[in-house]
Amino acid sequence: MTCQNLLVELFVEELPPKALKKLGESFASALADSLQAQGLASSESAVTSYASPRRLAVHVSNVVTRANDKQVSQKLMPVTVGLDASGQATPALLKRLAALGAGAETVAHLRREGEGKAESLIYDSKHSGATIADGLQIALQEALAKLPIPKVMTYQLANGWDSVQFVRPAHRLVALHGADVVPVSILGLQAGRITQGHRFEAASPTLEIRDADSYESQMEHEGAVIPGFEKRRAEIARQLAEAAAKVGGGVKPIEDQALLDEVTGLVERPNVLLCRFEAQFLEVPQECLILTMKANQKYFPLLDSNGKLTNQFLVVSNINPVDASAVIGGNERVVRPRLADAKFFFDQDRKKPLDTRVLGLAKVVYHNKLGTQGERVQRVQAIARNIGYQLGGDELARQSDRAALLAKADLLTDMVGEFPELQGIMGRYYAQHDGESSDVAFAIEDHYKPRFAGDELPRNKVGICVALADKLETLIGLFGIGEKPTGDKDPFALRRHALGIIRILIELDLPLSLAELLNDGLGNWLSAAASQSVKTLVGVEENLPVFVWDRLSGLLREQDYSTLEVDAVVSLRPQYLGDIPKRLAAVRAFSTLPEAASLAAANKRVGNILKKFDGAVSDKVDVALLQESAEQALHQALNQIAPKADAAFAAGDYTASLQALAGLRVPVDGFFDNVMVNAEDEKLRTNRLALLSQLHQAMNRVADISRLAV
């Protein structure tokens, strides 16, 4: 049994650049996993993935020519079914053996397992190990079937009759086990050792791979291709930094990992070149220029040390000519019309004040059940005014109303029509041009924030008000017409809107109650919609709070808080979400105390006892009715400890508040060990329940400690 390294390459037409990295990783891992499952490779085999615009390849070390034979045991059927009273095989048993390729002579060699009625017949057999040819054929088919192909295309094979489906037409297949070709086929291709290098710069039109281990070296030196995705990506990053350093002055290429991945998927032999455009275009907001260079041309704009755009950019070329002037000039000519379009849009848009575009929103449909964007703006205004008044009185309410009025107006500008990603950003520039206040202008940009996980939050109070209002309006309206997320489907990004509200309330520590925010938002929504032709909302008051609190719980668990810790805090639904990090820290610290487990269990017991009385328990204790020494001790401990815990809670020191309760462990344990709560005397029973009610209130101000009980 020979053990050698394996190389498989599928040579295709240009693959989708944004999907290339995942395609390469999937192809390599699926093929290697299949080989391991068949016993041709082991968990110790090193797997190297290769992916360039025109190839998917994988190198797997220590692959054997034939897998070891396997002993297989199969349970056939109960003995009572397989053998008759005289011990002869039944037709059912013979039929089952025949299906496994065994005859009647096998019956005498069957094993028995179990006892009595559970005794079964076991067939032991030896399965021959897979050969490299058969195993690789299976692995190839499985790897291609598992590829995360964004869109499949159907194309005709060379014979003119047959058609196959793949992400792009495939032209060559290389499969080498050491230096030997493995006779496999896929997509109408027979495996060989011939592939192709760089379309223009390879040493020859075709390239013969000597053996599996020479692949990468031959591709780089003879084929002019860096086949490894990560190696090619690192080379691009190195050249970008080197080119920027040569410019000097502290300039740096824009950091964009997605763009770097995409460009890595576009070139096989990267060559970074410095280009320029006319400085007059810098009069256009840099976001517009950066977006058009990145999105349309895949260029890397250069920023100065202050983060301002310069009139220079870097292009990653796929060729390396001796004289690159033609390549540089061509890219400069290509980008110029794009920048000119951006300048034209910017100049034209500024001729019309932003507030004059608001009326046009009445003609833009937002949702067929929720009316137009114009009607939506009115609802956002109503919610924003209310939030503004709560956070800053009349002046903030007025500014929030103005910002909400203008927030969507840039949707009707030429620039946003061409580049939807700039909505909000262009609104800020146009508002500043029109003389709007800085707070209002930045609120127009910031009301979309946070757009994604880790995104920055609105930078001023006006932006906070409009951002909250915009997200609340979206959630209320879409929940009200039944468009809530299901499973992994969330077409209106409602989870993101809910998380945006949560992040703003927590990270900015706003004095806004989530419950009141949702209730007031619904009231403002309905008030504004009273004169609009929108459908009636259903179930918002019941369903939306549950959804938002669930999203909060999920977010906290993603931040490495345990389910028990999160449940203990969130179950109380704290008034201000800004308190939650401190409450969680307090619960985590409390959990480390030796008294924690006992108190959590006791608290759970107290809660279960009180639930039976459905809130009809008083918390007023008659000291004269405390007969048992254990209940007297608990009452005395409560009088000493509860005020300290309450004082710490009032001061916002939740950790100290919870830790003060540790002193209750001994009297609480003593109470449950020695006191009968459900006493026959009604007065004694009521008084003891009141004592437990006091205990329950004292222990559950920071969090529901009973949730920590395992």
Side-chain angles (χ1 to χ4, degrees), residues 53-370:
R54 297 201 296 161
R55 73 200 73 244
L56 298 174
V58 56
H59 182 277
V60 185
S61 69
N62 301 325
V63 177
V64 297
T65 54
R66 187 185 191 91
N68 293 325
D69 295 341
K70 291 183 179 179
Q71 289 293 129
V72 178
S73 296
Q74 293 173 278
K75 182 184 288 187
L76 299 179
M77 58 188 63
V79 171
T80 54
V81 176
L83 301 176
D84 60 21
S86 62
Q88 298 299 309
T90 63
L93 177 58
L94 294 175
K95 185 177 180 180
R96 181 68 187 279
L97 287 172
L100 297 174
E105 70 279 0
T106 310
V107 174
H109 303 288
L110 296 179
R111 289 190 298 110
R112 298 188 182 195
E113 281 187 359
E115 296 179 357
K117 293 182 179 180
E119 188 177 23
S120 299
L121 295 172
I122 308 299
Y123 173 51
D124 295 322
S125 62
K126 181 183 291 187
H127 285 199
S128 298
T131 64
I132 182 63
D134 293 339
L136 182 56
Q137 184 66 53
I138 293 171
L140 265 175
Q141 292 169 344
E142 291 181 355
L144 263 61
K146 293 179 180 180
L147 282 180
I149 299 175
K151 188 176 182 181
V152 174
M153 67 180 296
T154 302
Y155 62 94
Q156 199 172 57
L157 297 179
N159 61 21
W161 294 98
D162 299 322
S163 295
V164 294
Q165 288 187 326
F166 194 52
V167 59
R168 292 290 186 271
H171 297 298
R172 294 183 185 275
L173 175 64
V174 175
L176 296 175
H177 188 222
D180 300 325
V181 173
V182 184
V184 293
S185 62
I186 201 77
L187 300 174
L189 302 171
Q190 297 296 322
R193 63 173 70 249
I194 304 298
T195 186
Q196 293 174 225
H198 195 285
R199 191 183 294 276
F200 307 112
E201 301 195 351
S204 60
T206 59
L207 178 61
E208 182 176 341
I209 305 300
R210 293 187 295 274
D211 56 56
D213 293 342
S214 70
Y215 175 73
E216 183 172 0
S217 176
Q218 282 189 262
M219 290 304 303
E220 292 185 8
H221 296 99
E222 300 173 40
V225 171
I226 301 176
F229 187 93
E230 293 301 330
K231 187 173 182 179
R232 200 165 61 255
R233 188 182 191 273
E235 174 60 17
I236 294 173
R238 185 195 67 78
Q239 290 190 34
L240 289 171
E242 184 180 79
K246 289 180 180 178
V247 174
V251 301
K252 293 182 178 180
I254 194 165
E255 291 187 13
D256 190 322
Q257 300 305 312
L259 176 61
L260 185 55
D261 282 345
E262 186 175 1
V263 171
T264 304
L266 285 168
V267 299
E268 292 190 310
R269 189 186 189 189
N271 179 31
V272 173
L273 302 170
L274 177 66
C275 304
R276 293 177 173 79
F277 59 83
E278 289 79 357
Q280 67 184 32
F281 290 120
L282 293 176
E283 298 172 5
V284 180
Q286 70 177 43
E287 292 89 345
C288 307
L289 305 182
I290 290 172
L291 182 60
T292 191
M293 284 191 282
K294 285 169 42 178
N296 295 318
Q297 307 305 137
K298 315 307 175 190
Y299 296 155
F300 287 83
L302 285 175
L303 309 179
D304 66 19
S305 57
N306 295 317
K308 297 297 182 182
L309 180 67
T310 69
N311 67 322
Q312 298 177 94
F313 61 93
L314 299 175
V315 58
V316 183
S317 173
N318 195 34
I319 56 177
N320 192 11
V322 176
D323 182 5
S325 59
V327 179
I328 293 172
N331 281 282
E332 291 176 346
R333 284 193 300 274
V334 167
V335 78
R336 191 172 295 114
R338 295 285 187 178
L339 302 182
D341 286 346
K343 187 175 188 307
F344 174 79
F345 294 147
F346 185 57
D347 292 340
Q348 289 297 111
D349 286 342
R350 287 183 297 171
K351 293 178 180 179
K352 187 175 182 179
L354 201 58
D355 57 6
T356 63
R357 299 179 185 272
V358 173
L359 291 176
L361 294 173
K363 300 177 182 179
V364 179
V365 175
Y366 168 56
H367 191 286
N368 61 352
K369 294 182 180 180
L370 296 173

Side-chain angles (χ1 to χ4, degrees), residues 482-556:
E483 292 284 6
K484 55 186 178 182
T486 56
D488 60 349
K489 295 182 179 180
D490 187 9
F492 297 100
L494 300 187
R495 294 187 180 96
R496 177 168 58 81
H497 282 81
L499 289 174
I501 292 173
I502 290 166
R503 281 194 57 202
I504 290 172
L505 293 178
I506 290 180
E507 294 178 30
L508 299 179
D509 197 11
L510 297 180
L512 293 173
S513 161
L514 177 59
E516 293 177 7
L517 192 66
L518 296 175
N519 287 334
D520 292 349
L522 178 58
N524 297 141
W525 199 105
L526 294 172
S527 177
S531 60
Q532 299 175 355
S533 56
V534 298
K535 301 287 184 179
T536 303
L537 302 184
V538 178
V540 177
E541 195 169 359
E542 300 80 20
N543 297 327
L544 184 54
V546 174
F547 175 75
V548 176
W549 284 104
D550 283 348
R551 295 314 304 155
L552 171 61
S553 295
L555 175 66
L556 296 174

Side-chain angles (χ1 to χ4, degrees), residues 594-671:
E595 299 87 354
S598 177
L599 286 174
N603 193 36
K604 186 174 183 178
R605 184 175 179 181
V606 170
N608 290 335
I609 292 172
L610 296 177
K611 281 179 184 177
K612 296 178 181 179
F613 296 89
D614 196 24
V617 177
S618 169
D619 61 354
K620 295 183 178 179
V621 176
D622 185 347
V623 178
L625 292 175
L626 298 174
Q627 297 183 351
E628 302 288 343
S629 59
E631 60 184 329
Q632 293 170 357
L634 176 58
H635 182 259
Q636 183 179 3
L638 266 176
N639 285 338
Q640 293 175 347
I641 292 173
K644 297 177 182 177
D646 289 345
F649 180 89
D653 191 346
Y654 299 138
T655 298
S657 180
L658 275 183
Q659 290 183 340
L661 298 175
L664 291 172
R665 175 187 173 179
V666 173
V668 167
D669 288 347
F671 178 88

Side-chain angles (χ1 to χ4, degrees), residues 354 410 422-432 441 444-445:
L354 201 58
D410 67 349
L422 294 176
Q423 56 188 284
I425 295 172
M426 295 315 302
R428 187 254 294 180
Y429 279 107
Y430 296 143
Q432 289 174 324
I444 293 172
E445 177 180 346

Side-chain angles (χ1 to χ4, degrees), residues 605-619 676-693:
R605 184 175 179 181
V606 170
N608 290 335
I609 292 172
L610 296 177
K611 281 179 184 177
K612 296 178 181 179
F613 296 89
D614 196 24
V617 177
S618 169
D619 61 354
M676 174 68 71
V677 177
N678 195 22
E680 293 184 6
D681 187 310
E682 182 179 353
K683 289 184 178 180
L684 287 179
R685 182 172 65 251
T686 301
N687 200 55
R688 288 168 182 172
L689 289 172
L691 180 60
L692 291 182
S693 179

